[in-house]
Amino acid sequence: MSGEPPRRTPFRLGVGPRRVERDVDEELAFHLEMRARRLAARGLDPDRARAEALRQFGDLGAVRAECLDIDHRQDRTMRRVNFLGELRQDVGYALRALRQHAGFSAVVLATLAIGIGANAAVFSVVDALLLRPLPVAHPEQLVSLGDPRRVNSVSSGSPRTDIFSYRLYTELRDRNHVVSGLLATGRANPIDVLVEERAAGGAAVTSEPEHPRGRFVSGNYFDVLGVHAALGRTFAPDEGRTAGDAPVVVISHAYWTRRFDADSGVLGRTLRINEAPYTIVGVAPEGFAGEIVGQPTDLWLPLTMQPVFAPNRPWLDERDVNWLLLVGRLKPGVTPAQAEAEFSTLAEQAITAQGVRAENLAPSLPGGLHVEVVSAARGLSSLRDVYDEALVTLMAAVALVLLIVCANVANLLLVRATSRGREMSVRIALGAGRGRILRQLVTESLLLAVLGGALGLVVATWGRTLLLRLASSGRAPIPLDARFDWRVLAFTGALVLVTALLFGLAPALHATRVQVAEALRSQARGLTGGARGRRPGAGRVLVVAQVALSLMLLVATSLLARSVRRLAASDIGVARGELLIASVDAARTGYEGDALAALLRDVLARARALPGVATASFSENGLFAGTESSTTLQVEGFTPAAAGDTLVNYDRVGPDYFHAIGARLLRGRDVQASDDEHAPKVGVVNETMARFYFPDGDAIGRYVRVDGQEYRIVGVVADVQDHGLRDAPVRRLYLPAFQVPEQLRGFNLELRGPDPARLVTPTRNMIGEANAALVAYQVSPLDDLLRASIRQDLLVARMVSAFGVLALALAALGLYGVMTYTAMRRTSEFGLRLALGAQRGDVGRLVLGEALRLVAAGAALGLPLALAATRLLRSQLFEVAPFDPVSIAVALGVLLLGALLAGWLPARRATRVAPLVALRTE
């Protein structure tokens, strides 16, 4: 500030960003002027008096800065106090208004709860499956080796680097320099557990068998993850180094609570797991359910106990049995790319040392000996690949629903704002600023959104359970931990704020644009936004937007419904409605070779004798169950152009297999009972394989060589979809199972009958009667397995259909509200028309026509948007194009029906106007 005080202006406002500066400058100027006047009164001339006053005052700049600091603090305090006081007034007024209009409030809150709750429910599943990190120490440091989707896979025949053998794991663990620890994890199923209890007399008794979920893990599993036991200990460093030397088990906190009622004396208890005793040494911390997302683990077993767990299939010493996924913790400064390069080099050295060349692996392993290293911060999961695209689609659908909800609520608030025109006018006339009224109305909208969000969390709690149940292939929901963590709550809070602005701001601005004098003259009829009788254009715009968004969802619904219907009814080349599939684990029976073949013949004879069974056979891989096998072969007279040309999928099948499943033999014969180990080796190929290898001739009688054995082709069968409805047919070779009995392990029974659902219990009983050690871990009609294979398609179709119906209902309600309001505002007009001779039908058509014009405008806007949006669904459609006239026509027809219903009710009310009453009211 200069030494010259500022001149006082004759007029200024006491508001604005520089109000405090102006006040301080004016006060300082006043004091200087008073001191200069006193000095002038003592005889000094005015200029010397002003200079002396400044000198006596001292450092004017410092005084001004101190005064500004004090005044700014006081101003902030007062503004905060005033704001909080006004906020309390606004919230109290809003609560009273909600209570006074309870019906209106209930409709708005229910609408918001549905919109916000649906979004929160879908996001909670997205968070649990795609976003949430593992509850371990520094999850961002974890990386997975191989394919993190193959959490339960087993492959034999040649080394792999998407899943790993135990031998390859130990070499990578001991020779690398890029991770501080490398753990291994693999499946342990099926699993039978007997819990030893103590009777009253102290004698040991066992409970009924249980089937918890278990995983084999390396001894360093918990140390690498940084997970410490909540009770007892985890595995010791020396446990898990030698096969069969660590009969201990760590149980999850959830299993401890559920099975042992959180008994602290559980340590030292014995579990008999697959008939072998294990001692409980620890309980994992609460919230930790393993590294597999969507597959919580109850029991962790040392990896080296696998030969004890399954003595007939010891995998630790077999280099060509791949069944482990690996997770490591990167050392400081090491990137995933560096780790990938080192592990790939180590894997190639280890595998080629066995005499296996990388180019020989290329057909079965597209990456050769390359080891892919990706982040494991969010755990491993097979569900992500199944549901990630579906969840993105659902998030887009519920976002559209929320926009429609906001438009609907905004329409309701617009109507209410119109009815509050007199109230707003009175408040403005009494001195309330438009900004103050706007803040009051926005506070009401925010309060509605907060209450709607709270109710939405209740809706989301129910909705996420429904979503997981719909996504499951069985009755129980997918065991995904979709709890409401901070991300879900933050997402819901952001939705509350966004929705409050979306539905509250426009009605609030509309309500403050009041013609005060005219509104006060109108007495009971409060008007907003202009002259009397003016129609609220904003409401019509919102209805058009609702119709457009609804049409987008309806077109998507129609497309997905038609796609799923075609997918579910697609021809897979078998008698799908007549087949029962029973997946059986035979490895635990102790039988192998000829003894297992004899057991299989007995099971097959028993199956064919069951009432209601027309025929039966078996296969190694099954139909939409079991596993998949592939191999390389040499084909007589065929020269491969690429390494992949020698790769085929194969299956080992029982006698009369193709007749049993209802497949169509094109040429040759079926597998016969005489095709045993003593007969010449034969095989059957599918149509795709025959066409690929023998395009110019008949495949019958030609030879293929597999694993050093030569097989003569005796039949060609039409292509069968056996693992995926969307999968293109692949080259497939079928080999008689009894010709190589020593390679038999598990098998899948295929029973054919007119009512396969009635065969489930008899089949389970029959398998147990054949051998009590046989475990049938899945017995289901093929139609059920088919539905399970497309569960992600069913989930998307069902949920989007539900959202489409909801969107249509909201759009119809919005249209109904606007047309009802319009008809009410035009009561006098309709009365005059009727008094002048108009027919009631003319009035009804006038109102209905206006409603249809709004729908037509929305459809004209929404149809291009729908056609653009449905292109994003291309990968989820089956035999239905994104531009499908039938689907579009269905969506438009449904929309038109909803519009007719919404417009007919106000039109009908308009036709019942009494002319004299309407004119008298006017």
Side-chain angles (χ1 to χ4, degrees):
M1 179 176 177
S2 66
E4 186 71 22
R7 289 170 38 180
R8 299 184 64 183
T9 57
F11 174 77
R12 66 177 177 82
L13 295 175
V15 295
R18 298 188 58 82
R19 178 180 57 81
V20 174
E21 286 82 352
R22 288 197 301 267
D23 288 346
V24 169
D25 289 341
E26 184 173 297
E27 185 177 357
L28 292 176
F30 172 77
H31 286 294
L32 285 172
E33 185 175 350
M34 291 298 101
R35 181 166 296 189
R37 286 181 180 179
R38 286 196 298 270
L39 291 173
R42 294 177 184 175
L44 292 178
D45 63 79
D47 291 337
R48 290 188 60 189
R50 183 175 296 278
E52 179 64 17
L54 284 172
R55 187 189 67 77
Q56 293 180 3
F57 201 89
D59 189 350
L60 186 60
V63 173
R64 180 179 185 272
E66 184 177 357
C67 291
L68 284 175
D69 179 62
I70 294 171
D71 282 13
H72 274 303
R73 279 188 278 129
Q74 290 179 341
D75 183 67
R76 285 194 295 268
T77 301
M78 290 305 300
R79 278 188 293 171
R80 184 163 55 249
V81 170
N82 291 337
F83 174 78
L84 292 176
E86 291 176 354
L87 181 62
R88 282 194 297 270
Q89 292 176 358
D90 291 343
V91 172
Y93 184 85
L95 288 173
R96 290 194 299 274
L98 293 181
R99 285 197 302 269
Q100 289 172 0
H101 302 86
F104 170 84
S105 303
V107 171
V108 171
L109 291 178
T111 306
L112 289 173
I114 292 173
I116 296 175
N119 278 267
V122 176
F123 182 79
S124 67
V125 177
V126 171
D127 173 54
L129 187 60
L130 304 180
L131 304 178
R132 186 183 304 160
L134 289 175
V136 301
H138 301 291
E140 71 282 355
Q141 299 174 358
L142 298 179
V143 292
S144 70
L145 278 61
D147 189 345
R149 300 169 299 179
R150 304 194 63 179
V151 295
N152 295 309
S153 297
V154 176
S155 174
S156 60
S158 62
R160 302 181 69 95
T161 54
D162 53 347
I163 50 177
F164 301 84
S165 67
Y166 177 73
R167 288 293 187 88
L168 182 55
Y169 158 64
T170 58
E171 295 192 34
L172 296 178
R173 179 194 65 193
D174 298 337
R175 295 175 56 194
N176 84 86
H177 302 89
V178 292
V179 296
S180 57
L182 185 66
L183 66 87
T185 169
R187 72 176 190 178
N189 65 322
I191 184 169
D192 294 332
V193 173
L194 297 173
V195 181
E196 288 193 356
E197 310 281 1
R198 291 290 172 182
V205 296
T206 55
S207 62
E208 291 296 320
E210 301 172 357
H211 307 286
R213 289 179 288 262
R215 295 288 291 181
F216 281 116
V217 297
S218 54
N220 63 349
Y221 174 84
F222 293 99
D223 290 338
V224 172
L225 294 180
V227 174
H228 305 286
L231 185 67
R233 64 174 178 86
T234 58
F235 299 135
D238 57 341
E239 289 174 332
R241 287 283 179 175
T242 306
D245 71 340
V248 295
V249 60
V250 175
I251 64 176
S252 71
H253 193 280
Y255 185 67
W256 175 54
T257 304
R258 182 176 70 248
R259 180 60 183 83
F260 298 99
D261 199 24
D263 180 12
S264 59
V266 72
L267 300 180
R269 297 274 298 270
T270 299
L271 301 180
R272 297 196 67 84
I273 303 175
N274 287 10
E275 301 181 1
Y278 291 76
T279 302
I280 299 175
V281 296
V283 177
E286 185 175 5
F288 178 74
E291 77 288 355
I292 311 299
V293 177
Q295 184 182 309
T297 301
D298 296 318
L299 310 174
W300 289 275
L301 307 171
L303 195 60
T304 50
M305 294 301 292
Q306 192 277 333
V308 178
F309 181 88
N312 293 310
R313 46 182 184 185
W315 291 340
L316 296 187
D317 296 326
E318 298 186 25
R319 289 183 176 270
D320 60 348
V321 176
N322 309 280
W323 62 295
L324 298 175
L325 285 175
L326 312 184
V327 175
R329 186 175 290 276
L330 291 177
K331 290 182 177 179
V334 177
T335 66
Q338 293 171 329
E340 190 169 288
E342 177 161 329
F343 280 122
S344 296
T345 300
L346 293 175
E348 183 173 358
Q349 292 173 354
I351 292 176
T352 54
Q354 305 175 35
V356 180
R357 299 176 61 185
E359 55 267 26
N360 293 336
L361 292 179
S364 59
L365 192 61
L369 296 180
H370 178 74
V371 177
E372 186 177 8
V373 175
V374 297
S375 172
R378 296 176 294 117
L380 317 176
S381 180
S382 60
L383 295 178
R384 289 197 185 108
D385 191 49
V386 175
Y387 288 111
D388 56 354
E389 197 173 78
L391 289 174
V392 170
T393 301
L394 291 183
M395 281 301 300
V398 294
L400 288 178
V401 169
L402 187 61
L403 288 176
I404 296 171
V405 163
C406 290
N408 194 275
V409 174
N411 242 334
L412 293 172
L413 291 180
L414 277 173
V415 174
R416 186 177 177 221
T418 301
S419 68
R420 297 174 68 183
R422 180 172 175 77
E423 172 196 342
M424 298 297 110
S425 302
V426 170
R427 295 181 68 181
I428 292 175
L430 292 177
R434 295 181 188 273
R436 181 69 183 85
I437 294 177
L438 181 65
R439 191 169 69 187
Q440 166 66 54
L441 296 175
V442 171
T443 301
E444 293 182 18
S445 298
L446 185 59
L447 182 61
L448 282 171
V450 169
L451 295 176
L455 292 175
L457 288 176
V458 177
V459 173
T461 303
W462 171 81
R464 67 182 177 185
T465 304
L466 175 63
L467 189 60
L468 293 175
R469 181 172 287 112
L470 289 175
S472 176
S473 57
R475 294 183 178 180
I478 291 178
L480 196 63
D481 183 16
R483 66 182 183 275
F484 291 162
D485 60 6
W486 69 267
R487 276 177 296 275
V488 178
L489 296 178
F491 176 80
T492 307
L495 282 183
V496 167
L497 293 176
V498 171
T499 52
L501 291 175
L502 285 176
F503 74 73
L505 193 56
L509 290 172
H510 187 74
T512 58
R513 291 196 291 267
V514 179
Q515 301 297 325
V516 178
E518 184 176 352
L520 291 175
R521 285 196 304 267
S522 68
Q523 299 299 325
R525 287 181 178 268
L527 305 176
T528 65
R532 187 170 184 188
R534 179 178 173 184
R535 298 171 187 175
R540 283 170 168 73
V541 171
L542 290 172
V543 168
V544 170
Q546 284 181 279
V547 171
L549 295 174
S550 299
L551 183 60
M552 292 176 64
L553 278 176
L554 289 174
V555 171
T557 296
S558 185
L559 283 171
L560 291 169
R562 281 171 51 78
S563 174
V564 168
R565 192 178 301 112
R566 292 192 175 188
L567 188 62
S570 61
D571 181 16
I572 64 172
V574 300
R576 51 184 297 170
E578 302 177 8
L579 287 175
L580 179 77
I581 311 298
S583 301
V584 183
D585 179 21
R588 291 169 53 188
T589 61
Y591 290 85
E592 58 184 17
D594 292 338
L596 182 56
L599 175 63
L600 266 175
R601 289 188 174 95
D602 178 50
V603 170
L604 197 57
R606 291 172 180 268
R608 289 172 175 170
L610 288 175
V613 174
T615 184
S617 188
F618 69 89
S619 61
E620 182 179 50
N621 292 330
L623 297 173
F624 292 87
T627 59
E628 183 67 289
S629 302
S630 61
T631 188
T632 56
L633 47 68
Q634 294 80 45
V635 181
E636 176 190 1
F638 177 80
T639 302
D645 289 348
T646 62
L647 177 68
V648 299
N649 289 1
Y650 74 93
D651 203 356
R652 302 185 188 278
V653 300
D656 301 319
Y657 175 72
F658 302 108
H659 173 64
I661 66 173
R664 184 164 55 94
L665 272 171
L666 302 178
R667 293 182 296 279
R669 67 173 177 86
D670 204 336
V671 174
Q672 299 174 352
S674 59
D675 294 325
D676 57 16
E677 65 271 28
H678 306 297
K681 299 290 191 296
V682 297
V684 176
V685 300
N686 71 344
E687 186 178 5
T688 296
M689 181 172 173
R691 189 185 307 116
F692 182 81
Y693 290 119
F694 312 107
D696 301 323
D698 193 354
I700 302 297
R702 307 291 287 273
Y703 286 88
V704 298
R705 180 176 290 274
V706 180
D707 293 335
Q709 296 286 334
E710 200 168 57
Y711 294 83
R712 185 172 67 91
I713 299 174
V714 297
V716 178
V717 67
D719 291 332
V720 171
Q721 296 290 97
D722 48 13
H723 281 79
L725 290 175
R726 292 179 179 271
D727 299 340
V730 297
R731 301 187 293 272
R732 190 172 297 279
L733 172 66
Y734 299 91
L735 303 175
F738 289 141
Q739 290 200 322
V740 192
E742 64 272 12
Q743 296 185 10
L744 290 173
R745 292 292 186 269
F747 61 91
N748 296 270
L749 281 175
E750 285 90 12
L751 289 75
R752 185 175 176 183
D755 191 357
R758 292 181 176 272
L759 298 175
V760 173
T761 300
T763 299
R764 284 191 180 275
N765 296 336
M766 177 273 296
I767 292 172
E769 292 169 359
N771 190 303
L774 288 176
V775 177
Y777 53 88
Q778 179 174 265
V779 181
S780 303
L782 179 58
D783 276 342
D784 291 352
L785 298 178
L786 291 174
R787 281 192 292 272
S789 73
I790 59 171
R791 59 187 183 274
Q792 70 275 17
D793 299 277
L794 291 170
L795 171 67
V796 173
R798 289 168 178 169
M799 295 302 295
V800 173
S801 297
F803 296 148
V805 171
L806 177 61
L808 178 62
L810 290 174
L813 285 175
L815 179 61
Y816 170 77
V818 167
M819 297 315 301
T820 299
Y821 172 78
T822 300
M824 179 189 69
R825 300 293 298 160
R826 300 174 66 186
T827 298
S828 59
E829 175 192 339
F830 296 151
L832 183 59
R833 286 176 179 270
L834 293 172
L836 294 176
Q839 299 297 315
R840 294 187 181 274
D842 296 333
V843 173
R845 282 189 293 273
L846 183 67
V847 176
L848 189 58
E850 188 172 353
L852 292 179
R853 283 193 293 273
L854 290 177
V855 173
L861 175 64
L863 191 56
L865 294 176
L867 294 178
T870 52
R871 294 184 180 277
L872 303 177
L873 298 175
R874 186 186 300 273
S875 62
Q876 299 180 54
L877 300 179
F878 181 79
E879 295 183 356
V880 177
F883 179 74
D884 181 50
V886 175
S887 299
I888 294 172
V890 169
L892 288 173
V894 171
L895 183 64
L896 180 60
L897 288 175
L900 287 174
L901 180 61
W904 176 76
L905 293 174
R908 183 169 176 267
R909 185 177 295 114
T911 62
R912 296 185 173 184
V913 171
L916 293 179
V917 175
L919 293 174
R920 189 178 302 117
T921 302
E922 181 65 18

